[in-house]
Amino acid sequence: MIPWEIDALEIANCNCDPGCPCQFNSLPTHDNCEAAVGFIVKSGHFGDVRLDGVKIALTAHWPGPIHLGNGTIQLVVDSATTPEQREAIETIVTGGETEDMATMFWVFSKMAPNKLETLTKPIDLRIDMESRTGYVRVPDVFDLDVEPIRNPVTGQEHRARINLPHGFEYRVAEVASGTTRTFGAISLEKSKNTHAHICRVYMNGQGVIEHAA
């Protein structure tokens, strides 16, 4: 296999209640799964191709729980990337050059046989893990906004984390509230003031890497 590694920040919004039942091996809040996600690679490579600074976005929809399959995914790679970088990202996100079940990309790809054509568009993205805020803007595809969860009585910010010692996406994520508006081929109707998380995605073709250098 071609060796690869990415150290990235991820911002995601799905249609489930805050906390997302998937993280606890429970069924989704509304019987199906849909999500919008953005990544910025802080450092990484795919073979000899450097991936530092690459921005990635995607939308995904499953008619039921993810593990039942038949999902649809739309991948977007930032227009500032080179053809070699785009090919590398497409390979990683579709589970290529990866051990079976090792990463979220492998699992989601296998559960989403309906892959739309990869788009190349400018991606405007900001992620602040400490403040639990950020956004993703992809023209004609989606807008995603994330803010802290707030106490329904006082309006004060509420902080919660998910710690998954054996997670295939992350080890620790900050939980937030997100809203996504879609304009593209995949329509996400239920992702409004719902679960969002911000996390570090540090992995290679064998799975999540425990410690950064």
Side-chain angles (χ1 to χ4, degrees):
M1 291 195 298
I2 297 174
W4 63 267
E5 179 179 310
I6 59 169
D7 186 355
L9 286 177
E10 172 191 350
I11 186 169
N13 173 218
C14 75
N15 60 315
C16 281
D17 288 341
C20 183
C22 292
Q23 313 305 329
F24 302 91
N25 283 339
S26 297
L27 294 176
T29 303
H30 302 291
D31 301 320
N32 79 298
C33 292
E34 62 179 44
V37 190
F39 303 88
I40 182 165
V41 180
K42 297 192 297 180
S43 64
H45 70 90
F46 182 86
D48 295 330
V49 179
R50 295 302 308 176
L51 300 175
D52 304 21
V54 168
K55 298 175 184 177
I56 312 160
L58 64 87
T59 52
H61 181 276
W62 285 268
I66 292 174
H67 67 271
L68 294 183
N70 198 32
T72 302
I73 286 182
Q74 175 84 78
L75 173 64
V76 186
V77 183
D78 187 64
S79 54
T81 57
T82 67
E84 293 78 15
Q85 288 173 324
R86 288 194 287 274
E87 183 178 357
I89 291 300
E90 192 168 31
T91 299
I92 292 170
V93 175
T94 56
E97 305 300 331
T98 299
E99 294 181 0
D100 289 0
M101 298 291 291
T103 70
M104 61 173 176
F105 296 126
W106 190 98
V107 173
F108 294 161
S109 180
K110 292 297 181 183
M111 293 298 102
N114 310 302
K115 295 178 177 61
L116 305 182
E117 181 181 0
T118 299
L119 302 177
T120 302
K121 289 180 173 288
I123 298 174
D124 182 15
L125 179 154
R126 186 184 69 81
I127 302 173
D128 188 324
M129 191 166 177
E130 180 64 24
S131 68
R132 289 97 66 212
T133 60
Y135 62 80
V136 185
R137 304 277 186 265
V138 185
D140 303 317
V141 182
F142 74 91
D143 289 342
L144 163 60
D145 291 282
V146 167
E147 63 178 12
I149 297 170
R150 294 188 180 275
N151 183 298
V153 176
T154 67
Q156 294 297 309
E157 293 182 3
H158 175 70
R159 191 166 197 170
R161 293 176 177 172
I162 300 175
N163 186 334
L164 298 175
H166 306 291
F168 60 40
E169 180 177 0
Y170 58 78
R171 291 296 188 251
V172 177
E174 294 280 356
V175 180
S177 175
T179 293
T180 299
R181 294 162 296 281
T182 50
F183 319 106
I186 296 179
S187 178
L188 308 183
E189 301 295 336
K190 302 175 182 177
S191 297
K192 294 176 176 61
N193 300 313
T194 51
H195 172 83
H197 65 249
I198 297 175
C199 63
R200 183 185 184 192
V201 174
Y202 186 39
M203 63 178 59
N204 58 25
Q206 289 73 53
V208 172
I209 300 170
E210 295 297 337
H211 301 288

